[in-house]
């Protein structure tokens, strides 16, 4: 079966702009989580969505937001981009909210200049 | 509440064994283990649930000490393909999000 699909793979944006990243989970997976990965901080939890509702949010400013659609696809948005937002953004899906492992997408590499 | 992994890095020769540890200050419901190779996405290895059994497949296994909120990943007779960064992820009781440790870099030499 198809894996977790993230688009686009690469993005270059200018400070102050906004960006939207997309994630299509594995069919049947209802839980979608987003992580920011940087060399210094590792995998930082952004948020988790289940049944179109945000269930958990990490310690990120309000510039980071997301949503989930009825088909479980998810988007995350970052407004007013800062240089420090440059990172690999990973989407992960799983069947239910707990007791299952994640399947990660290949990520979107965001560079803010 | 980020779990603490040790060691930060390990260099082994092919065929040697390795143990990676993960500990939390919170009561855990589950511990996940993932491996990430350079330039690739993390790949799920196994999950250990509170009250569950020790997991394992082939030469990679893990344990979960619920009293100490600690987990260990065991790699036996390591192969070149085991190289990568290993992350543990923890789910705290009552909070379903997975928080990852900073990772352990494992390098296997031929």
């Amino acid at each position: 079966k198809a894996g977790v699909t993230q688009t686009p793979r690469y993005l270059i944006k200018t400070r102050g702009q906004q960006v939207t990243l997309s994630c299509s989970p594995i069919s049947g997976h209802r839980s979608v989580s987003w992580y920011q990965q940087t060399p210094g901080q590792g995998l930082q939890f952004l948020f988790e969505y289940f049944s179109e509702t945000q269930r958990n949010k990490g310690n990120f400013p309000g510039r980071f937001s997301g949503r989930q659609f009825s088909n479980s696809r998810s988007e995350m948005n970052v407004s007013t981009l800062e240089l420090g937002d440059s990172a690999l953004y990973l989407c992960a899906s799983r069947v239910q909210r707990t007791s299952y492992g994640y399947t990660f997408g290949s990520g979107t590499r965001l560079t803010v200049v | 509440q980020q779990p603490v992994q040790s060691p930060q890095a390990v260099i082994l020769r092919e065929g040697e064994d390795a143990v990676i540890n993960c500990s939390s200050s919170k009561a855990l419901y589950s511990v996940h283990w993932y491996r990430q190779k350079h330039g690739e996405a993390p790949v799920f290895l196994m999950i250990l649930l509170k009250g569950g059994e020790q997991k394992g497949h082939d030469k990679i296994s893990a344990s979960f000490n619920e009293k100490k909120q600690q987990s260990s990943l065991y790699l036996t007779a390591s192969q070149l393909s085991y190289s990568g960064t290993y992350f543990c992820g923890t789910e705290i009781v009552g909070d379903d999000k997975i928080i990852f440790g900073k990772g352990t870099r494992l390098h296997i030499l031929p």
Side-chain angles (χ1 to χ4, degrees):
Chain A
K1 56 184 177 181
V4 178
T5 303
Q6 289 188 248
T7 56
R9 287 296 308 276
Y10 302 93
L11 267 178
I12 300 176
K13 290 286 188 178
T14 304
R15 271 182 303 176
Q17 287 186 311
Q18 75 166 20
V19 66
T20 299
L21 312 182
S22 179
C23 172
S24 293
I26 290 175
S27 177
H29 284 197
R30 300 169 62 195
S31 172
V32 175
S33 295
W34 289 87
Y35 288 86
Q36 181 194 67
Q37 187 172 33
T38 57
Q41 298 299 319
L43 286 158
Q44 300 280 97
F45 174 78
L46 280 158
F47 24 65
E48 179 208 1
Y49 287 89
F50 184 82
S51 294
E52 302 177 63
T53 302
Q54 187 179 92
R55 303 291 180 162
N56 263 308
K57 192 177 192 308
N59 295 325
F60 279 83
R63 301 184 296 107
F64 291 81
S65 63
R67 58 179 175 170
Q68 186 181 33
F69 302 95
S70 58
N71 61 358
S72 293
R73 191 176 71 84
S74 178
E75 289 181 347
M76 68 163 280
N77 184 275
V78 188
S79 62
T80 319
L81 285 166
E82 301 177 359
L83 294 179
D85 296 334
S86 294
L88 179 66
Y89 290 88
L90 291 163
C91 167
S93 72
R94 54 180 174 171
V95 175
Q96 291 289 344
R97 290 191 63 206
T98 191
S99 304
Y100 290 86
Y102 280 141
T103 300
F104 279 88
S106 297
T108 294
R109 172 75 62 184
L110 172 65
T111 302
V112 183
V113 297
Chain B
Q1 60 190 40
Q2 182 179 38
V4 177
Q5 285 187 237
S6 63
Q8 288 185 320
V10 184
I11 300 176
L12 297 174
R13 291 212 172 269
E14 201 173 7
E16 293 182 335
D17 300 340
V19 180
I20 300 171
N21 301 301
C22 175
S23 65
S24 174
S25 59
K26 302 285 187 179
L28 298 177
Y29 174 75
S30 71
V31 179
H32 298 228
W33 287 97
Y34 294 78
R35 176 172 62 211
Q36 185 177 30
K37 292 181 180 288
H38 185 68
E40 299 180 9
V43 173
F44 174 70
L45 295 175
M46 64 188 76
I47 181 174
L48 299 105
L49 301 176
K50 181 179 170 66
E53 298 176 355
Q54 180 166 334
K55 295 276 191 175
H57 58 88
D58 198 14
K59 296 173 183 174
I60 300 177
S61 61
S63 63
F64 178 19
N65 185 324
E66 296 173 31
K67 288 185 180 179
K68 294 185 176 181
Q69 310 306 328
Q70 293 175 348
S71 178
S72 294
L73 184 72
Y74 307 94
L75 299 104
T76 307
S78 56
Q79 305 168 13
L80 293 175
S81 62
Y82 288 1
S83 290
T85 301
Y86 289 77
F87 293 96
C88 74
T90 54
E91 284 184 87
I92 295 169
V93 172
D95 187 358
D96 297 329
K97 64 179 181 284
I98 300 176
I99 302 299
F100 288 95
K102 293 195 173 184
T104 296
R105 293 188 308 279
L106 177 65
H107 187 60
I108 310 294
L109 300 171

